[in-house]
Amino acid sequence: MIKSNIDTIRANFPILHQEVNGKPLVYFDNAATTQKPKQVIEALNQYYLKDNANIHRAAHTLASRATDYFENTRRTIQAFINANEPEECIFTKGVTESINLVAQTWGRANLNAGDEVIVTTMEHHSNIVPWQMICDEKGAKLRVVPINQNGELIMEAYEEMLSANTKLVACVWVSNALGTINPVEKIINLAHQVGAKVLLDGAQACSHLNVDVQKLDCDFLAISSHKLYGPTGVGVLYGKREVLETMPPYHGGGEMIKEVTFEKTTYNDIPYKFEAGTPNIGDVIAFRYALDYLTVLGKENVADYELQLLNYFVNGVNEINKQTNDAIKLIGAAKSKVAVQSFVIKNMHPFDVGMMLDAKGIAVRTGHHCTQPLMQFFELEGTIRVSFALYNTFSEIDTLLQALTSIAKYANR
Ligand code: PMP
């Protein structure tokens, strides 16, 4: 379905149709941020051309229009993740802010000396540092689930780690550096058996996998719009109503209050209790068009197509390796993966490979991918990472494989 419509799909992404360093752009840095369809760009333009007003606070027409559109996005994200009600979806700046919100509110209220927070070896820094900060403050302990050489969690070790001291499991659903899909249903189920809450970092999962927070039964899910074909600076924190209601507010200011006197302030209901100040109205409104875009294409179709691209790439690398004495080493070989692949090339620094590819118009990410502990596990300074999206093509992968063949031959000389 995606393959037969790829030209129409690509026509929706104006940015793809340009040359970089004299070559057609090949954009394989989708795990860092996805490109935006023109439906999203036009919605953003439309907002500033016709509808711009502050939301929730005024009686005039523009304000009520902007408020309606803003709240429409909340209902769309509710449906997208199958939350029980829109009020369980809080707008934030992105996954990073969503996780910090939970750490600073739920964490501050619930963690005590001797309590434990469990994360995994493959976390993004944004799901490590906020927990380190609050654990340090509270005298709680951060524990880390180990992984194997394929980049999969060692679930037996996780099970052994769980105890009555475990208060929270904060786990990445899909690894941004390896593409590993973690067995989150099992992780959540086991955590709940010891009474712990579970936060999922959904940054990389939500564009590839179906999300049903009620079925998963996670307590929190963190989402970034810009990884989902939407604008930057917008994210969502999903939380179960009964958990969100017990949490103290995050930022103080306008919108998050019911009544303020100098003696006492009472706080607003969820989600507004956690949305102090004027939010990123235009980008929230435009985000809805990205969610609709993905929903119309069908996430199963997208994921299926992306995995075909991934297999095509991995087979191509295996062929290059036959000619070059295994010059390319793939990092991350989990059985369950999305279309993200890290690799290194012998005798080559990842950054140099990135520059050589850029000279041919190919955009990839190099470095530690904000997962330094994971790189330490693999004893690497960094990797080269390609990540595929719904608008990528097999012929773009041919271009990449051709470039990698020359680099691998040069490395193996
Ligand atoms: N977690 C993962 C797995 C990610 O890939 C990213 C973005 N690279 C983040 C968290 C942070 O997301 P954001 O920068 O949108 O807050």
Side-chain angles (χ1 to χ4, degrees):
M1 191 253 176
I2 305 285
K3 202 170 169 183
S4 53
N5 287 315
I6 194 71
D7 290 341
T8 318
I9 291 171
R10 286 179 67 81
N12 285 323
F13 291 84
I15 200 170
L16 299 176
H17 307 282
Q18 63 173 298
E19 293 199 339
V20 167
N21 296 322
K23 301 281 187 316
L25 168 66
V26 173
Y27 186 79
F28 285 153
D29 194 16
N30 296 289
T33 197
T34 48
Q35 299 303 347
K36 325 302 173 200
K38 61 181 177 213
Q39 289 82 343
V40 169
I41 301 164
E42 280 163 8
L44 193 56
N45 265 340
Q46 184 69 10
Y47 169 72
Y48 285 113
L49 288 171
K50 283 191 68 187
D51 307 317
N52 177 46
N54 210 332
I55 54 169
H56 294 143
R57 281 167 223 173
H60 66 82
T61 302
L62 292 195
S64 69
R65 218 191 276 158
T67 305
D68 282 352
Y69 295 162
F70 184 88
E71 291 301 329
N72 273 346
T73 301
R74 204 188 302 275
R75 282 188 286 278
T76 307
I77 189 74
Q78 175 209 353
F80 193 81
I81 64 173
N82 195 32
N84 194 32
E85 42 182 338
E87 290 76 12
E88 293 180 320
C89 301
I90 297 157
F91 287 116
T92 63
K93 283 193 298 198
V95 165
T96 304
E97 192 181 42
S98 297
I99 296 174
N100 276 280
L101 191 163
V102 179
Q104 291 300 320
T105 62
W106 183 91
R108 178 159 291 128
N110 289 282
L111 293 174
N112 293 302
D115 287 344
E116 295 182 352
V117 172
I118 296 181
V119 296
T120 79
T121 307
M122 64 178 92
E123 297 310 319
H124 188 278
H125 297 162
S126 62
N127 203 26
I128 300 173
V129 185
W131 302 116
Q132 270 174 336
M133 288 161 65
I134 195 71
C135 284
D136 279 354
E137 192 181 312
K138 291 291 185 166
K141 190 170 167 196
L142 193 67
R143 302 199 62 187
V144 184
V145 183
I147 59 171
N148 63 26
Q149 284 295 325
N150 285 338
E152 296 165 314
L153 294 179
I154 301 177
M155 288 298 283
E156 300 75 34
Y158 168 62
E159 278 193 64
E160 273 170 32
M161 223 172 254
L162 287 165
S163 76
N165 294 332
T166 314
K167 290 292 168 318
L168 180 84
V169 177
C171 174
V172 71
W173 188 344
V174 168
S175 158
N176 63 310
L178 305 174
T180 308
I181 303 174
N182 286 319
V184 288
E185 292 85 353
K186 194 164 179 204
I187 289 168
I188 294 164
N189 193 277
L190 289 167
H192 284 169
Q193 284 176 28
V194 297
K197 300 272 182 269
V198 180
L199 175 143
L200 292 182
D201 170 350
Q204 299 293 337
C206 295
S207 60
H208 304 283
L209 307 177
N210 264 330
V211 184
D212 183 336
V213 289
Q214 293 189 69
K215 192 155 159 243
L216 278 173
D217 199 29
C218 56
D219 301 282
F220 301 106
L221 172 69
I223 300 169
S224 278
S225 146
H226 73 99
K227 312 257 189 205
L228 267 167
Y229 307 95
T232 51
V234 175
V236 175
L237 172 69
Y238 158 80
K240 284 180 184 165
R241 174 180 276 278
E242 65 266 27
V243 184
L244 291 175
E245 280 183 339
T246 63
M247 284 159 47
Y250 183 37
H251 294 148
E255 194 60 31
M256 52 78 73
I257 52 89
K258 270 194 177 137
E259 197 181 354
V260 180
T261 66
F262 282 115
E263 288 69 42
K264 185 175 162 55
T265 292
T266 50
Y267 302 125
N268 210 337
D269 298 326
I270 64 163
Y272 309 111
K273 181 168 90 174
F274 297 106
E275 292 181 354
T278 302
N280 188 350
I281 305 167
D283 290 295
V284 167
I285 290 172
F287 179 31
R288 182 182 136 213
Y289 292 79
L291 296 169
D292 287 347
Y293 189 85
L294 205 46
T295 304
V296 168
L297 285 182
K299 271 213 251 173
E300 291 87 354
N301 298 326
V302 170
D304 180 61
Y305 177 69
E306 290 170 342
L307 283 180
Q308 288 178 39
L309 294 172
L310 178 69
N311 288 337
Y312 188 73
F313 173 68
V314 170
N315 290 339
V317 168
N318 291 338
E319 286 307 311
I320 297 174
N321 274 340
K322 283 184 198 157
Q323 305 163 37
T324 59
N325 205 13
D326 290 329
I328 303 180
K329 186 173 177 207
L330 298 176
I331 309 292
K335 282 183 210 77
S336 187
K337 273 189 71 153
V338 303
V340 170
Q341 186 64 57
S342 265
F343 58 94
V344 288
I345 303 184
K346 74 176 165 202
N347 305 324
M348 298 288 296
H349 193 282
F351 187 74
D352 293 336
V353 177
M355 296 296 284
M356 289 161 110
L357 293 175
D358 182 56
K360 293 184 184 300
I362 306 168
V364 301
R365 181 126 310 224
T366 62
H368 54 61
H369 317 296
C370 295
T371 57
Q372 284 180 353
L374 180 65
M375 296 296 125
Q376 285 150 19
F377 169 81
F378 283 110
E379 295 178 351
L380 293 169
E381 208 182 306
T383 70
I384 304 135
R385 180 190 69 189
V386 292
S387 46
F388 305 125
L390 55 86
Y391 40 66
N392 289 130
T393 65
F394 292 89
S395 102
E396 286 181 314
I397 295 182
D398 285 336
T399 307
L400 171 65
L401 290 169
Q402 219 171 20
L404 288 178
T405 306
S406 342
I407 298 171
K409 281 185 177 159
Y410 168 79
N412 192 48
R413 72 199 180 280

